[in-house]
Amino acid sequence: MDTAFLVISLFLPRTTLVIYYFFLQIPFNTLPWIGDFLLTIFLPRVLVLIYIAQNLGTDSPWFWIHLVVALIVYFGGSKKYRDFRKK
């Protein structure tokens, strides 16, 4: 996998996936095309995690870095979530 893909997808996963798709640089995966499409729209960080797990394995430091960032974003990284918790 490209290191630039791994770094940029930490901050802009959906944009990175779309750009790499247009340049035909999407990492190898076993998901059907519809799965790639739907995950890119709704859960891009999960799709990046799947790509990393299939290409580098779950013992890669990149997998764990992306997993931690995904958990932070999904479970408390947004202002809306903090405001919701205060109510």
Side-chain angles (χ1 to χ4, degrees):
M1 289 185 78
D2 188 17
T3 305
F5 175 82
L6 295 169
V7 172
I8 297 169
S9 65
L10 272 172
F11 305 105
L12 302 167
R14 185 173 291 120
T15 306
T16 305
L17 289 168
V18 170
I19 290 170
Y20 272 68
Y21 175 76
F22 284 128
F23 287 111
L24 302 173
Q25 297 293 322
I26 292 292
F28 173 76
N29 64 65
T30 58
L31 290 175
W33 181 83
I34 192 71
D36 283 341
F37 179 75
L38 291 175
L39 284 173
T40 298
I41 292 172
F42 297 112
L43 296 170
R45 292 190 187 275
V46 173
L47 183 59
V48 171
L49 279 170
I50 291 170
Y51 287 165
I52 294 170
Q54 288 183 351
N55 289 291
L56 301 176
T58 57
D59 56 344
S60 169
W62 283 109
F63 177 81
W64 295 105
I65 292 168
H66 277 268
L67 181 63
V68 168
V69 169
L71 291 174
I72 289 171
V73 168
Y74 288 139
F75 293 114
S78 71
K79 184 180 182 314
K80 289 181 185 178
Y81 179 77
R82 283 181 285 201
D83 291 344
F84 174 75
R85 294 285 296 187
K86 287 181 183 177
K87 289 182 180 180

